Amino acid sequence: MGKTIKTHPLSIDEALAARDAGAVIYAGGTDLMIGRDLHAHAGRPPEMIFLNAVSKLNEISSKNNKICIGAMASMAEVAAHPYVPEVLRQACQSVGSPALRNQATIGGNICTASPAGDSLCALYLCGAEVELRSCKNKRCLPIGDFIRGPGKTALKDDEILTAVYLPSWNPDISAYRKVTPRMVNTIARLSMAAALWVDHGIISRAGISLGAVGPTVIRCRELEAALTKTALAKAVENAQRFAEMAKSAICPIDDHRSSAQYRRNVAANLVYDFLQRAGSPIKQEVPGG
């Protein structure tokens, strides 16, 4: 590559220098072999740089009404941290097995850009932004602008995703659900993250996102708008009508994990179940499953 690079950088600057020199950066390494094949060129893969020694990228902090999650924070660390919204904690807790959660990172899960990525549904719901840095520049993008399709992101050749920012986020009711053929070590057939803000019995704000139902995570904007300014009791009473709206919001495909019709039906069922459970006392987190 023409430059000497550190395969185990100790600082963000060293990692950026390695990236600028053409190295491929990896985090937890759970998709490493796939990524190595994809990046191989001219019969020789590029230098692989592991970020585990860059301690700054592991930090989780709160400042100015924003939560900052370092890209190298593991799923287990995110799931256990009190600053992190409950819906994202549930999503990260759903990842694989304990061993996998201790290795996989939030930044790696985002950059893999799988529509079934376990953290992504919750990150879209929370309005996450990602911080992208190079030797020359730093920029932030909403996660919906960063992820462009399956395995495709806005990350430039000289950039590293260094952090995830979440706005202050405190819904009255929230839930994360992941549908899989078995409890652990399985890619989601479909996932949902949902939240309601309720003021004197009226839904003042609603958020619902669905994963593995299109090329990227999908926010159900029309459903959210329909729920807003609706009495919570009415939303529960008309849960089936609102649930049907989820079917038109998504664009699933038939694949080896399930059919498009299955995904449409399950999406509606998840929304229905969420609204039914929301009829319980306010200020709760609806259990995941």
Side-chain angles (χ1 to χ4, degrees):
M1 293 180 203
K3 295 182 181 180
T4 301
I5 58 178
K6 293 187 176 182
T7 56
H8 287 76
L10 300 177
S11 68
I12 293 176
D13 286 342
E14 288 180 353
L16 291 173
R19 182 70 166 147
D20 191 58
V24 171
I25 304 297
Y26 73 96
T30 54
D31 289 322
L32 176 60
M33 291 301 103
I34 296 172
R36 190 176 176 85
D37 288 342
L38 291 174
H39 287 291
H41 60 89
R44 178 173 175 264
E47 196 78 52
M48 307 296 291
I49 304 303
F50 193 22
L51 298 180
N52 69 324
V54 185
S55 59
K56 187 73 175 175
L57 296 180
N58 287 84
E59 297 176 359
I60 301 175
S61 61
S62 178
K63 187 177 181 181
N64 298 326
N65 290 321
K66 279 193 174 183
I67 299 162
C68 177
I69 304 174
M72 284 295 293
S74 72
M75 292 297 190
E77 290 169 331
V78 177
H81 205 284
Y83 290 166
V84 176
E86 179 65 20
V87 70
L88 180 55
R89 293 172 62 184
Q90 288 180 11
C92 293
Q93 184 63 34
S94 78
V95 174
S97 63
L100 188 60
R101 288 193 293 275
N102 285 327
Q103 185 71 13
T105 65
I106 191 81
N109 201 234
I110 294 169
C111 288
T112 298
S114 166
D118 291 303
S119 71
L120 300 188
C121 217
L123 289 170
Y124 273 69
L125 181 70
C126 293
E129 292 187 342
V130 295
E131 179 185 85
L132 310 173
R133 291 180 59 176
S134 69
C135 287
K136 304 178 183 67
N137 190 34
K138 180 169 75 172
R139 61 189 179 122
C140 283
L141 288 178
I143 192 166
D145 293 338
F146 177 70
I147 297 176
R148 296 179 171 176
K152 297 179 181 179
T153 72
L155 193 69
K156 295 179 180 178
D157 289 342
D158 62 346
E159 288 181 325
I160 296 174
L161 191 155
T162 50
V164 183
Y165 292 99
L166 306 178
S168 180
W169 204 81
N170 190 30
D172 295 292
I173 304 165
S174 67
Y176 175 80
R177 295 291 302 275
K178 174 180 175 180
V179 178
T180 64
R182 61 180 187 270
M183 291 299 292
V184 296
N185 294 330
T186 308
I187 297 173
R189 287 179 172 173
L190 188 134
S191 59
M192 180 198 73
L196 298 175
W197 289 254
V198 183
D199 185 15
H200 295 91
I202 305 298
I203 299 171
S204 59
R205 178 182 166 193
I208 295 175
S209 61
L210 294 164
V213 292
T216 62
V217 170
I218 292 175
R219 282 289 295 268
C220 301
R221 298 295 187 183
E222 289 188 12
L223 173 55
E224 293 172 356
L227 286 167
T228 301
K229 298 183 180 179
T230 298
L232 178 59
K234 283 290 185 183
V236 175
E237 181 182 335
N238 296 293
Q240 190 60 54
R241 178 171 66 84
F242 287 116
E244 289 296 313
M245 295 180 69
K247 291 184 179 181
S248 60
I250 63 179
C251 48
I253 60 171
D254 294 317
D255 64 16
H256 64 282
R257 284 196 289 275
S258 59
S259 68
Q261 188 58 50
Y262 171 87
R263 288 187 168 103
R264 288 190 185 94
N265 291 338
V266 172
N269 290 344
L270 290 178
V271 172
Y272 176 85
D273 184 65
F274 170 68
L275 292 176
Q276 287 290 304
R277 291 171 182 256
S280 299
I282 302 302
K283 201 64 183 176
Q284 62 171 307
E285 266 82 24
V286 179

